[in-house]
Amino acid sequence: MSGCRTGGLRRRLAWVAAAVAGLAALPHSAAAGTAAGFVPPAESQMPGGSRGRLIRLGEQLFVHSSALRGKYVGNGLSCNDCHLGRGRHADAAPMWAAYAAYPASLGPAQRADRLAGRIQACFVFSMNGTAPPKHSRAVRALVAYARWLATGAPAGVSLPGRGYPNLPPPSAGPDPARGKKVYADKCAICHGRDGAGQRAGTAIVFPPLWGKDSFNWGGGMHRIDTAAAFIKANMPLGQPNSLSDRQAWDVAAYMDRHERPQDPRYAGDLEDTRRSFHDHDCLYGRSVDGRRLGAHASGKPYDPWQLR
Amino acid sequence: MVAQRLALTLVLVWLGAGAAAAADVANGRQIVLHGNGHGATPCVACHGADGAGIADVAYPRLAGQQAAYLRKQLHDFRNGLRNSEVMQLFAKALSGAEIRDVAAYYAAQPAHGTHEIADRALIGAGRQLAERSDWDRNLPPCFSCHGPRGVGVGGDFPLLAGQHAQYIEKQLLAWKRGTRDNDPDQLMKTVAQRLGEPDIKGVAAYFASLNPAPAQRITLNDSRPAGGPR
């Protein structure tokens, strides 16, 4: 029974982490197109020894997160899919900026602990899996990698290039019907007409944007504003800022009209989950084409720790 | 009796339709080896029966290439969307069904390569770009579209592993200069324009050095139909 209690505690901790996560996932407010001044260390500067091995493992898990599939990862995504360039690329939620933002007053151990909690939340939401323990090798490796990327960065500073550049919404609101056309013209070639992504052998090359293999309704990217900001600054790959603001918003709104794995905080009442956790720009719990998004797991007791 | 015959006819028509849609690899082989008898010369002269191509003159390796990609290229040659005097003449002499068969034949050839060994430093630089790239120049890694080790993805992102360096180099330069532009959404063109000539030599040498992985490709989404809108 103590296991249940521990589970409950872990769950509560996770929601605290998730609350922090929600804040961190907000697009930052710096002007779009800001050149990031910070440059993470080159790969050749990676230290040796056991710390180097841990950092290297962190980088590998970051890029090939499917290595943890079935254990901590419950979908077809990798960290690298949203944090482009192995977590280095400015305006694509770089890991050096995420770490730098934790207050200096906390001290290195507390700052690392905050980041570890944030990474756990990523596993629960964006990776639609379960949180590896804070002191697991997986979390320690990912933290070590992020901290190494932030070598030389000031503490407690929101560095230029953090998150995704905030994108003001179109005055009339986004139009998913226009977004559908943007998707067909610009996105489907890689992500597939059904949003399921594409593979080469068993390796997922183009990440699934919705459906069972994508991030769940708690993942930061399910927010239309966050997705629009990411898309504008980074998509199509290799053509950043090529879509108009309007196109980015429209296609983000279109993406949000599709079903995805349940929000792990769902406890049986969709409206309740929406009220408690979705007071932001998203379609969770809303009716789309006569069906309520997120209603697919109704009536089923949900254990976020066994979400697959 | 009449009803039975009608049913049998329907079944035969249905089977016939199925056969018409499926590629005829044997017919593809026939065209590859002997041409089609009305204008298309045998492919074997330049690409080989095994699809090995000829490195020195930049004739591409076709063995193991995705059939959908080969179909699209042949349709693009036929429609004048991709330049090459020789290939345009050849493709114009092929019917849609023949394009499908030839593509299926080469796709079915084992993608074994004579992986070309060039300067190690050049290959290393190419690998760096292919795998990690240079995001400061907004260059995504080649792997992010062509798959790990360039094994190819779907019908739009061709197999690169084991392709001849001369051919890759020639194509990247063509994209860079604007003489090739049949890529969907200018995905390749925008990347090629940001590549310097040393980058191009590097990635070409790197992919040519790879032994093409066994054809183990799963496509979740078959891409747009061959010859459709670019």
Side-chain angles (χ1 to χ4, degrees):
Chain A
M1 300 314 105
S2 64
C4 291
R5 287 187 65 89
T6 315
L9 180 64
R10 278 163 64 194
R11 228 164 287 179
R12 240 166 288 143
L13 283 173
W15 306 148
V16 173
V20 176
L23 292 174
L26 282 171
H28 73 81
S29 53
T34 313
F38 181 77
V39 178
E43 193 205 345
S44 57
Q45 293 172 280
M46 216 178 254
S50 61
R51 179 161 171 260
R53 277 196 298 277
L54 195 63
I55 294 170
R56 224 170 272 279
L57 173 68
E59 187 190 33
Q60 287 302 305
L61 294 177
F62 199 87
V63 178
H64 307 289
S65 310
S66 58
L68 300 174
R69 188 150 193 184
K71 194 167 186 198
Y72 302 125
V73 171
N75 61 18
L77 301 182
S78 282
C79 312
N80 192 45
D81 290 332
C82 297
H83 307 268
L84 301 186
R86 301 173 174 243
R88 293 170 166 270
H89 195 41
D91 294 339
M95 296 308 288
W96 41 265
Y99 183 68
Y102 292 112
S105 58
L106 290 174
Q110 275 297 308
R111 295 176 81 218
D113 188 69
R114 290 270 182 98
L115 182 63
R118 176 67 187 86
I119 288 170
Q120 285 183 307
C122 267
F123 278 98
V124 174
F125 298 103
S126 296
M127 310 307 288
N128 192 33
T130 57
K134 250 188 188 168
H135 299 290
S136 63
R137 194 157 164 79
V139 170
R140 285 193 299 122
L142 288 164
V143 168
Y145 177 57
R147 288 181 78 184
W148 174 72
L149 286 177
T151 306
V157 175
S158 184
L159 290 171
R162 181 185 173 204
Y164 310 126
N166 186 36
L167 197 66
S171 50
D175 179 347
R178 271 201 308 253
K180 184 177 183 177
K181 191 172 165 3
V182 175
Y183 186 83
D185 291 347
K186 300 283 180 182
C187 317
I189 178 103
C190 294
H191 295 286
R193 272 170 290 195
D194 58 359
Q198 290 194 76
R199 297 167 188 252
T202 53
I204 291 176
V205 177
F206 297 112
L209 302 184
W210 61 80
K212 66 180 172 56
D213 254 358
S214 190
F215 52 90
N216 66 38
W217 280 112
M221 202 64 86
H222 88 281
R223 291 181 51 157
I224 298 174
D225 49 358
T226 304
F230 170 80
I231 291 164
K232 170 76 184 182
N234 296 293
M235 290 288 124
L237 208 57
Q239 301 176 0
N241 296 304
S242 62
L243 299 178
S244 68
D245 293 8
R246 161 127 247 161
Q247 284 177 311
W249 272 92
D250 289 347
V251 78
Y254 172 69
M255 183 174 93
D256 215 38
R257 286 170 67 86
H258 295 88
E259 200 47 277
R260 57 181 63 264
Q262 181 58 277
D263 186 332
R265 297 163 296 196
Y266 172 81
D269 185 337
L270 185 58
E271 195 46 43
D272 187 49
T273 315
R274 174 165 176 87
R275 258 199 317 272
S276 305
F277 301 107
H278 293 268
D279 184 20
H280 51 227
D281 194 3
C282 84
L283 295 175
Y284 179 75
R286 302 285 192 215
S287 278
V288 165
D289 300 331
R291 291 182 57 181
R292 281 190 88 189
L293 292 170
H296 52 89
S298 297
K300 200 173 157 207
Y302 222 82
D303 182 353
W305 297 98
Q306 284 170 11
L307 189 73
R308 288 281 192 279
Chain B
M1 192 64 190
V2 174
Q4 273 173 340
R5 263 203 199 162
L6 184 64
L8 184 66
T9 310
L10 283 175
V11 166
L12 285 175
V13 165
W14 178 74
L15 283 175
D24 181 347
V25 176
N27 187 45
R29 179 182 160 82
Q30 174 69 22
I31 296 164
V32 165
L33 296 181
H34 307 292
N36 68 352
H38 46 266
T41 51
C43 318
V44 67
C46 297
H47 295 285
D50 58 355
I54 304 173
D56 291 345
V57 282
Y59 294 157
R61 180 187 297 285
L62 303 180
Q65 186 58 272
Q66 293 102 301
Y69 177 76
L70 293 176
R71 286 199 303 269
K72 179 178 185 295
Q73 300 312 306
L74 283 168
H75 279 283
D76 285 356
F77 282 125
R78 192 162 75 161
N79 301 329
L81 300 174
R82 183 172 169 185
N83 296 319
S84 161
E85 220 170 290
V86 173
M87 284 308 300
Q88 285 185 352
L89 276 174
F90 177 81
K92 277 176 183 156
L94 289 176
S95 69
E98 286 169 337
I99 283 179
R100 185 196 61 207
D101 296 347
V102 167
Y105 170 79
Y106 275 127
Q109 301 311 302
H112 55 76
T114 53
H115 43 120
E116 295 160 16
I117 302 299
D119 178 357
R120 268 173 192 270
L122 190 64
I123 291 175
R127 182 185 170 170
Q128 175 72 20
L129 208 55
E131 192 176 357
R132 292 164 179 265
S133 196
D134 185 351
W135 285 91
D136 294 338
R137 287 190 283 160
N138 274 316
L139 276 175
C142 310
F143 286 12
S144 61
C145 291
H146 291 276
R149 296 177 80 256
V151 296
V153 181
D156 289 302
F157 305 94
L159 164 74
L160 300 178
Q163 186 55 274
H164 304 304
Q166 293 90 331
Y167 174 74
I168 297 178
E169 210 177 309
K170 191 175 161 186
Q171 295 309 309
L172 285 174
L173 287 173
W175 263 301
K176 190 175 165 68
R177 293 169 185 157
T179 49
R180 182 172 174 188
D181 62 355
N182 70 326
D183 52 334
D185 301 332
Q186 304 195 318
L187 288 171
M188 195 65 247
K189 183 182 178 176
T190 45
V191 169
Q193 282 173 340
R194 293 187 203 118
L195 291 173
E197 296 202 7
D199 300 327
I200 289 176
K201 281 202 180 308
V203 292
Y206 168 67
F207 283 115
S209 77
L210 295 176
N211 206 350
Q216 192 208 7
R217 283 185 294 272
I218 302 168
T219 308
L220 292 186
N221 300 288
D222 202 356
S223 53
R224 59 191 72 183
R230 282 184 299 155

